[in-house]
Amino acid sequence: MTPEMRQALIDVGEHRQFAAGDILRAKGAYASDLLLILEGKVDCLLSEDETRALTLGPDSVVGEIGFLTGQAANATLRAADDVRALSLDAAALATLRQGAPEIAADVLRHLAHLMQARVESNKEQMDEAPSSSTSGVDIVRCSTLDQLRTAQRLRYDVQCLDHGRSSAHADHDEKLIRDDFDTTGTTFLAYQGARPVGTLRVNVGQHSDFDVLTQLYGMNQSGDGAMEWALVSRIAIRDFPDAPGTLTQLVSAGRLALEDMEADVAFVDCPPSFAKVFEASGFVRSAPDFLHPENGISTPMKLILG
């Protein structure tokens, strides 16, 4: 990374401080940013017993694979000593593209090269192991417009075609369902092989307007008024043998994302058939059932995070 690239990123990124021993990123977490190490060293732990690890120092980029692909982190990042780092998300890179397009192009090429090299390095250092997904379903965080469009089309397929329901947010020409919460939320996709089989979205209150939902979800009566609310929504699961397991994986991914965003309590309205999955994930009923205009009978539930 050239000095010009480094300074340009410093100008648009958010500075973060970590003490020795702090976890910068946990293995399995879904993050919406990558980190540029400015000072200090970071241990990249590829295995739980820490036998496969590497140490990265200043000017190293970490978390780029998850950021660029939407996959869960394949290693835990732990500060080896006091660390000063730069958090860079999609908004920061967009700002860089607008203000310094040539440097932004160099940065993106650098990240692509780095990701390819690190994927190969990780393969060499990690033992061959079975997938963590026993169902053969993989979860990704939508990090590109194409991935988000795939999720929006899956919503349409499941709701309008499979279940024969309508939606005020359906675009029947493009065959997708989208709403304003997509611009502030984090959307997850479940794939079985190359086939999308499920999707779920999470939003945090500071980024979304939940006022219209407070009565139906029992937010006003929950006693959580001083907390940071979050919403789990736009759940669409194809009808296939491991639908419950897929939903469980999506809920787990959403929970990790909300904890990372420091949400305190998450609300969801789900079809009664999904209630057991949410209960197993720690959700409890927050209000009486109500008739959702798109989904039919819905059970509002909440989960205390942290």
Side-chain angles (χ1 to χ4, degrees), residues 155-167 294:
R155 297 170 188 167
Y156 185 92
D157 287 349
V158 171
Q159 183 160 327
C160 297
L161 301 183
D162 295 351
H163 295 162
R165 297 173 182 151
S166 61
S167 171
E294 295 184 8

Side-chain angles (χ1 to χ4, degrees), residues 183-264:
T183 62
T184 57
T186 298
T187 299
F188 292 92
L189 263 172
Y191 286 94
Q192 188 176 56
R195 180 183 182 229
V197 292
T199 183
L200 172 150
R201 183 184 65 200
V202 296
N203 290 78
V204 177
Q206 63 183 354
H207 303 301
S208 306
D209 181 4
F210 292 163
D211 288 348
V212 70
L213 306 174
T214 56
Q215 294 295 330
L216 289 176
Y217 283 63
M219 293 177 176
N220 289 345
Q221 294 79 33
S222 67
D224 305 318
M227 294 184 174
E228 181 70 89
W229 290 342
L231 180 66
V232 181
S233 62
R234 289 299 173 197
I235 303 165
I237 308 292
R238 290 195 187 277
D239 184 13
F240 76 116
D242 197 50
T246 298
L247 178 57
T248 297
Q249 289 181 249
L250 285 166
V251 172
S252 177
R255 176 173 184 162
L256 286 172
L258 292 176
E259 290 175 345
D260 186 59
M261 290 184 276
E262 300 184 346
D264 297 308

Side-chain angles (χ1 to χ4, degrees), residues 127-134:
D127 289 333
E128 291 294 329
S131 170
S132 59
S133 171
T134 57

Side-chain angles (χ1 to χ4, degrees), residues 48-298:
E48 292 184 4
D49 60 7
E50 303 186 14
T51 58
R52 282 170 170 75
L54 57 94
T55 300
L56 303 171
D59 289 340
S60 296
V61 174
V62 294
E64 80 290 342
I65 296 176
F67 173 73
L68 294 172
T69 67
Q71 298 173 346
N74 57 15
T76 293
L77 304 175
R78 185 178 65 197
D81 49 22
D82 290 346
V83 169
R84 186 167 66 90
L86 200 66
S87 170
L88 298 155
D89 59 11
L93 294 181
T95 299
L96 181 61
R97 286 197 300 270
Q98 293 174 356
E102 293 184 1
I103 295 179
D106 290 339
V107 168
L108 295 175
R109 281 191 287 266
H110 176 76
L111 292 176
H113 176 76
L114 178 63
M115 186 182 75
Q116 291 173 344
R118 190 157 288 162
V119 166
E120 292 302 318
S121 175
N122 289 349
K123 286 180 180 178
E124 293 176 1
Q125 296 191 54
M126 295 178 67
D127 289 333
E128 291 294 329
S131 170
S132 59
S133 171
T134 57
S135 64
V137 172
D138 296 309
I139 309 297
V140 301
R141 175 185 55 82
C142 293
S143 59
T144 67
L145 181 58
D146 284 343
Q147 288 175 325
L148 181 58
R149 287 293 175 88
T150 297
Q152 292 168 341
R153 291 191 185 100
L154 179 59
R155 297 170 188 167
Y156 185 92
D157 287 349
V158 171
Q159 183 160 327
C160 297
L161 301 183
D162 295 351
H163 295 162
R165 297 173 182 151
S166 61
S167 171
H169 302 284
D171 183 325
H172 297 290
D173 292 328
E174 294 193 41
K175 299 189 184 306
L176 51 81
I177 292 177
R178 59 187 167 196
D179 59 36
D180 291 342
F181 279 10
D182 279 335
T183 62
T184 57
T186 298
T187 299
F188 292 92
L189 263 172
Y191 286 94
Q192 188 176 56
R195 180 183 182 229
V197 292
T199 183
L200 172 150
R201 183 184 65 200
V202 296
N203 290 78
V204 177
Q206 63 183 354
H207 303 301
S208 306
D209 181 4
F210 292 163
D211 288 348
V212 70
L213 306 174
T214 56
Q215 294 295 330
L216 289 176
Y217 283 63
M219 293 177 176
N220 289 345
Q221 294 79 33
S222 67
D224 305 318
M227 294 184 174
E228 181 70 89
W229 290 342
L231 180 66
V232 181
S233 62
R234 289 299 173 197
I235 303 165
I237 308 292
R238 290 195 187 277
D239 184 13
F240 76 116
D242 197 50
T246 298
L247 178 57
T248 297
Q249 289 181 249
L250 285 166
V251 172
S252 177
R255 176 173 184 162
L256 286 172
L258 292 176
E259 290 175 345
D260 186 59
M261 290 184 276
E262 300 184 346
D264 297 308
V265 56
F267 290 87
V268 64
D269 71 86
C270 64
S273 60
F274 286 167
K276 289 185 177 180
V277 172
F278 281 94
E279 287 174 358
S281 300
F283 282 79
V284 296
R285 178 184 287 274
S286 60
D289 288 352
F290 66 93
L291 184 63
H292 191 286
E294 295 184 8
N295 302 330
I297 296 296
S298 289

